[in-house]
Amino acid sequence: MNAWTHVNCCKTIGCRLFGVANSARYLHIGRNCRCPECGYYFPFISPGSLSAFSHQSNHHYAGVMLCCPGCGQTDALVRHGQNAAGKQRWRCQACARTFTHYAGPVAWDEKLTPLREAIATGTSFRLVYQDSQLISRALSRLAFLAGLEQVHSSLASLNVEFSTTAFTVGFNGGENRLYLIVTADNKTGRVIALSTNYMALNQGIGQEWRYPSLPGEKQSTQSVIRQVFDKDRIIKQRPLLFDVAYGVAELKRDDAGVVVKPVIAAYRHFALVHALTHKRVLSVQHWLAHECFLYGACLMANRHDVVSQRSRIGFVYERGTRDDTQRLRSDTVVSSIIWRDSWRCYSQRHYEMAVCHLTGNPGNAAFLHATLQPAKAFQSWLAMHPVWPQLNRLAPRNVVALLEYLAAEYNRER
């Protein structure tokens, strides 16, 4: 999951160079590359920054994925005895690193009960722990246990649909925001994975891959068709296609971490979703919020399944509540601002939806199943949670840990 040699390649389905990384035939134009076969451009992503971000971000998933925490290998692992507690140790033959895989159920630590109760009621964490370091350590422990809990989550069927949306959460009690990506199982509503673009240590992240705290892009709130065209215009105006601007994200001087560009978090996010689910499903339909780097990251994480048509990807806009007793009006619009994207649009008096299938050959019924509501439901739940005002005042390290725990709490209610 941490090997990123595949990211810099043509992303045009059907092109002979699709998925072929670092081909000598690619034409490098600044930080973009042009594929000589299909003529389309794709941005260059830093494998080093991706690896550094992924290594740290996967810390709380040690019990979910049996892979080397150093190089991400899964096929080079051999058993390497046991630790003092009798847990299985492993050795990676690729990089010689040894580690313990904490697989199986882990009992919740009773010492964390007061913190869990404070989270549930929105009580100040200072009433539980006087020392901020103790708060950070306890939240980190909760996040670790939440990651372990994820290994036992179940999917509703072998043919699943996932929805992915992105929004921002505050930190340090000011205008600062973190970019949050959430993927949910559409049938159960459970959160499969969430990712932010904060990393606790900045080692390995090139300066050009750190988020520069730009003023937020203004989004249209009008009809979904208008939103499609407005979003494409915004993407085209960016210095690079994936350089989304979402506002201020400045860290304090004593914070050793780094806020990375969301594209880095997106690639790690979909690699995580794939690692958590691909052995338990036969086919996956991904519905994504309209953002080009979400598509690129999802496509690369599922590139082999896309070719075999086990995985399909589409953009979705949705507004209002559908009345299943009423007929849907349908239309098709094409946006040629960046690519020639064809959108199928449906509407009722109080409902609109626009769907753009990016891979696969879906039937008409597949369009009507498109929705981002399961992922957006977590966003709504989070904003109504008693701990939400306190979450926005925490340091970003603690925000990330608390979000991991809250996702596990949310899933237990599904």
Side-chain angles (χ1 to χ4, degrees), residues 215-226:
E217 298 170 341
K218 294 183 178 180
Q219 303 290 326
S220 170
T221 58
Q222 302 184 41
S223 71
V224 294
I225 297 177
R226 177 68 179 272

Side-chain angles (χ1 to χ4, degrees), residues 105-117:
V106 174
W108 290 91
D109 188 347
E110 293 183 0
K111 294 181 180 179
L112 296 173
T113 298
L115 179 58
R116 290 197 296 273
E117 292 176 349

Side-chain angles (χ1 to χ4, degrees), residues 129-173:
Y129 301 103
Q130 297 298 318
D131 190 330
S132 60
Q133 290 187 351
L134 291 178
I135 295 175
S136 181
R137 190 178 305 149
L139 287 171
S140 179
R141 178 62 175 166
L142 284 181
F144 178 74
L145 294 177
L148 290 176
E149 190 175 341
Q150 184 71 11
V151 77
H152 300 289
S153 64
S154 59
L155 297 171
S157 69
L158 296 176
N159 302 293
V160 299
E161 296 188 20
F162 293 151
S163 56
T164 298
T165 190
F167 56 98
T168 61
V169 294
F171 68 93
N172 283 343

Side-chain angles (χ1 to χ4, degrees), residues 269-279 301-303 305 310:
H269 178 83
F270 285 103
L272 175 62
V273 171
H274 186 264
L276 289 171
T277 61
H278 79 284
K279 292 183 179 179
N302 297 278
R303 60 197 183 282
D305 291 339
R310 292 182 62 242

Side-chain angles (χ1 to χ4, degrees), residues 35-332:
C35 175
E37 289 287 330
C38 63
Y40 280 95
Y41 289 85
F42 59 91
F44 181 83
I45 309 294
S46 167
S49 292
L50 278 169
S51 293
F53 181 80
S54 183
H55 286 166
Q56 287 195 42
S57 301
N58 293 339
H59 175 69
H60 296 307
Y61 283 89
V64 178
M65 296 162 288
L66 182 54
C67 63
C68 175
C71 66
Q73 293 284 340
T74 58
D75 299 332
L77 303 180
V78 294
R79 296 180 186 275
H80 192 68
Q82 296 178 337
N83 66 6
K87 300 292 185 180
Q88 179 66 57
R89 288 194 60 76
W90 298 84
R91 181 178 183 275
C92 177
Q93 294 177 314
C95 69
R97 181 164 179 170
T98 62
F99 64 97
T100 301
H101 175 65
Y102 296 95
V106 174
W108 290 91
D109 188 347
E110 293 183 0
K111 294 181 180 179
L112 296 173
T113 298
L115 179 58
R116 290 197 296 273
E117 292 176 349
I119 292 172
T121 59
T123 303
S124 172
F125 297 163
R126 291 288 186 181
L127 298 178
V128 181
Y129 301 103
Q130 297 298 318
D131 190 330
S132 60
Q133 290 187 351
L134 291 178
I135 295 175
S136 181
R137 190 178 305 149
L139 287 171
S140 179
R141 178 62 175 166
L142 284 181
F144 178 74
L145 294 177
L148 290 176
E149 190 175 341
Q150 184 71 11
V151 77
H152 300 289
S153 64
S154 59
L155 297 171
S157 69
L158 296 176
N159 302 293
V160 299
E161 296 188 20
F162 293 151
S163 56
T164 298
T165 190
F167 56 98
T168 61
V169 294
F171 68 93
N172 283 343
E175 297 180 353
N176 293 296
R177 314 294 292 178
L178 290 180
Y179 196 84
L180 180 62
I181 305 170
V182 176
T183 294
D185 180 352
N186 283 10
K187 294 183 180 179
T188 64
R190 293 168 60 89
V191 172
I192 300 299
L194 62 83
S195 302
T196 74
N197 63 328
Y198 172 78
M199 190 171 77
L201 299 174
N202 61 28
Q203 287 91 340
I205 303 296
Q207 192 65 41
E208 70 274 21
W209 298 100
R210 304 184 185 194
Y211 178 67
S213 296
L214 299 170
E217 298 170 341
K218 294 183 178 180
Q219 303 290 326
S220 170
T221 58
Q222 302 184 41
S223 71
V224 294
I225 297 177
R226 177 68 179 272
Q227 291 180 53
V228 167
F229 286 90
D230 285 352
K231 184 64 175 182
D232 276 349
R233 291 189 186 96
I234 288 173
I235 293 173
K236 187 176 182 180
Q237 291 169 1
R238 295 173 182 167
L240 288 172
L241 297 178
F242 55 71
D243 271 352
V244 60
Y246 61 91
V248 180
E250 296 178 346
L251 301 177
K252 293 184 176 179
R253 290 185 178 181
D254 60 351
D255 193 328
V258 61
V259 178
V260 303
K261 292 184 177 182
V263 64
I264 299 290
Y267 270 83
R268 177 263 176 179
H269 178 83
F270 285 103
L272 175 62
V273 171
H274 186 264
L276 289 171
T277 61
H278 79 284
K279 292 183 179 179
R280 294 184 283 162
V281 300
L282 293 178
S283 66
V284 181
Q285 171 69 62
H286 286 275
W287 302 116
L288 310 178
H290 184 195
E291 187 60 78
C292 63
F293 62 80
L294 293 182
Y295 168 59
C298 186
L299 178 64
M300 289 295 97
N302 297 278
R303 60 197 183 282
H304 299 304
D305 291 339
V306 167
V307 172
S308 64
Q309 299 199 18
R310 292 182 62 242
S311 181
R312 299 176 302 278
I313 307 172
F315 284 144
V316 179
Y317 280 96
E318 195 172 17
R319 184 177 181 181
T321 303
R322 185 189 304 183
D323 183 351
D324 291 331
T325 66
Q326 299 295 318
R327 177 178 172 273
L328 283 167
R329 295 179 293 274
S330 63
D331 194 8
T332 301

